[in-house]
Amino acid sequence: SMPAYLKRGDTYRRRGELTAALRDLRAASALEPTAPRPVELLGDVNAGMGRYQRAIEDYRRFIGLDDRSPRVLYKLAHTYYRNAQVWKAIEPLREALTIDGRLGEAHYLLGLCLRETGHAQDAVASLRRALDLEPGMTVAREELVVLYDILKRERESIEQLEALATLEPGRPERLIRVALAYARQGRTETAIATLGRAAERYPDDSSVYTA
């Protein structure tokens, strides 16, 4: 029974027993080769085991059965990225976003891929779209800071640093980064005022006074 192997394999996967999961999911896929769900889970298990090329093959096989799943297209792209095949991740990400343009994590990953392949301006657009969809995505803001610094867009870099400080009020290093960014621009008084805010908020943190 394919469903029995599938359910048991998925249970093993959720429990972290990946070798047992692989055995059952292979059995499920062998019993029903055209069923896409066992193939997707095989990809998940192989990716979880660090067997990225095997996972890529599984996800590509899934797409051969069902090419309208943005979830699996994203998984394929993410696995390419983890396997240091960044340039190959871009096409499945764009296909996923054509199907569902509201996948914030797909816009974020596309931004990373575009940055690493030398398309900084396009990367900025993708990361900003990710933030439009998920304003609390701090990793996207961090990447934008890096890109804005590369592109010498200092004002926008500071805007992102200020947003990070607002999103994570319990981390004094966020305000310190804002202050040091102002200092690099020669805006010393603004930097000192920002550090004053930090000192009021974190009176026992020595890194604020060092800055």
Side-chain angles (χ1 to χ4, degrees), residues 186-206:
R187 298 169 64 182
T188 309
E189 290 185 6
T190 306
I192 291 171
T194 304
L195 290 168
R197 285 162 47 201
E200 290 175 5
R201 192 178 299 176
Y202 317 104
D204 299 322
D205 194 293
S206 62

Side-chain angles (χ1 to χ4, degrees), residues 16-65:
E17 299 178 40
L18 299 184
T19 301
L22 207 59
R23 179 195 63 218
D24 277 358
L25 293 169
R26 282 173 174 164
S29 185
L31 286 166
E32 283 193 35
T34 59
R37 182 61 176 161
V39 179
E40 177 184 357
L41 292 180
L42 277 170
D44 294 351
V45 171
N46 277 314
M49 298 173 76
R51 298 160 54 156
Y52 299 129
Q53 193 57 45
R54 293 276 184 89
I56 287 166
E57 291 167 7
D58 292 326
Y59 293 138
R60 288 181 63 84
R61 183 177 154 210
F62 178 101
I63 291 164
L65 299 168

Side-chain angles (χ1 to χ4, degrees), residues 1-176:
S1 171
M2 188 282 281
Y5 279 111
L6 175 63
K7 289 176 182 177
R8 190 171 71 176
D10 194 22
T11 301
Y12 280 133
R13 180 185 67 86
R14 293 173 186 274
R15 290 170 55 177
E17 299 178 40
L18 299 184
T19 301
L22 207 59
R23 179 195 63 218
D24 277 358
L25 293 169
R26 282 173 174 164
S29 185
L31 286 166
E32 283 193 35
T34 59
R37 182 61 176 161
V39 179
E40 177 184 357
L41 292 180
L42 277 170
D44 294 351
V45 171
N46 277 314
M49 298 173 76
R51 298 160 54 156
Y52 299 129
Q53 193 57 45
R54 293 276 184 89
I56 287 166
E57 291 167 7
D58 292 326
Y59 293 138
R60 288 181 63 84
R61 183 177 154 210
F62 178 101
I63 291 164
L65 299 168
D66 176 6
D67 63 356
R68 299 296 298 171
S69 172
R71 179 187 69 253
V72 177
L73 285 163
Y74 171 78
K75 288 180 179 180
L76 172 61
H78 191 258
T79 309
Y80 273 133
Y81 185 83
R82 294 172 72 185
N83 201 41
Q85 295 174 283
V86 176
W87 67 96
K88 289 188 176 182
I90 294 174
E91 182 179 350
L93 283 170
R94 286 184 167 147
E95 289 177 10
L97 290 168
T98 298
I99 299 167
D100 184 358
R102 298 192 61 79
L103 291 175
E105 66 272 22
H107 286 287
Y108 167 68
L109 183 57
L110 180 58
L112 295 186
C113 294
L114 290 169
R115 186 200 70 191
E116 293 190 25
T117 54
H119 299 86
Q121 298 286 0
D122 292 336
V124 167
S126 290
L127 292 168
R128 291 191 67 88
R129 180 57 180 151
L131 288 175
D132 288 341
L133 295 166
E134 298 184 32
M137 189 186 291
T138 56
V139 288
R141 294 189 186 278
E142 290 278 11
E143 292 298 331
L144 273 175
V145 170
V146 173
L147 280 166
Y148 285 145
D149 287 343
I150 291 169
L151 296 168
K152 308 298 183 185
R153 292 163 64 171
E154 297 172 343
R155 180 183 58 80
E156 290 160 297
S157 175
I158 288 177
E159 285 176 359
Q160 293 303 323
L161 290 171
E162 289 273 18
L164 286 166
T166 301
L167 287 167
E168 298 183 327
R171 296 181 60 182
E173 66 271 21
R174 291 300 193 194
L175 272 178
I176 291 171

